[in-house]
Amino acid sequence: MLKRLSWFVGGAAAGIAGATVAKRKVVKTATQLPPVRAVKRVVNTVQDVGERVAGAARDGRSAMRETEARLRAKRNGDEVAPIEVVDGRIVATGEVKPGQVIVLREVAEQRANRQAAALSTRPRRAKR
């Protein structure tokens, strides 16, 4: 009877050990399966694409603001040639047109004339 009991205990221990090893192997294999990897890869890719799209949107907005400011300056006559500091001196890096200063002066004169006309057409306050 003691012999049967020892074989039974030995078999039970072997079964428990085998089941534990098998479970660990199944869990390890399940985490390495392509669907799990694919989900992780998709999540990482979506996050990366989202960051790139957000960065592109930021760059686009800043470029839009710069272009809009440049176009407004050109429309208003406030356009200035691009400049750069070289060896402590300010140097124009873009093309400076000869008529650009005259145009700016003319625009400033037109603004002054419009402001003077607006001031002269204001209704005067009635005397008491």
Side-chain angles (χ1 to χ4, degrees):
M1 177 118 162
L2 191 59
K3 197 177 202 183
R4 289 183 184 172
L5 184 63
S6 63
W7 279 104
F8 177 75
V9 171
I16 291 172
T20 304
V21 170
K23 180 181 176 187
R24 286 183 185 164
K25 200 168 203 176
V26 166
V27 169
K28 182 180 176 185
T29 305
T31 58
Q32 293 177 352
L33 285 177
V36 174
R37 284 187 194 168
V39 169
K40 287 180 183 179
R41 187 179 304 155
V42 166
V43 168
N44 291 337
T45 303
V46 168
Q47 288 174 346
D48 291 343
V49 169
E51 290 172 4
R52 280 189 272 158
V53 167
R58 279 192 299 273
D59 292 345
R61 279 193 296 264
S62 67
M64 177 189 67
R65 287 186 191 111
E66 290 172 8
T67 302
E68 185 177 349
R70 184 175 43 79
L71 291 174
R72 284 181 195 259
K74 188 173 184 177
R75 180 192 68 190
N76 296 337
D78 298 334
E79 186 176 16
V80 179
I83 59 170
E84 192 175 290
V85 178
V86 178
D87 296 330
R89 296 183 315 173
I90 298 175
V91 179
T93 57
E95 180 183 352
V96 180
K97 300 174 187 169
Q100 189 172 13
V101 175
I102 297 169
V103 171
L104 291 175
R105 187 176 303 142
E106 289 174 359
V107 169
E109 290 171 0
Q110 289 175 358
R111 277 191 193 153
N113 291 340
R114 281 189 295 222
Q115 289 175 349
L119 290 175
S120 65
T121 58
R122 286 187 181 165
R124 297 182 183 231
R125 198 165 82 178
K127 293 182 180 179
R128 295 185 187 190

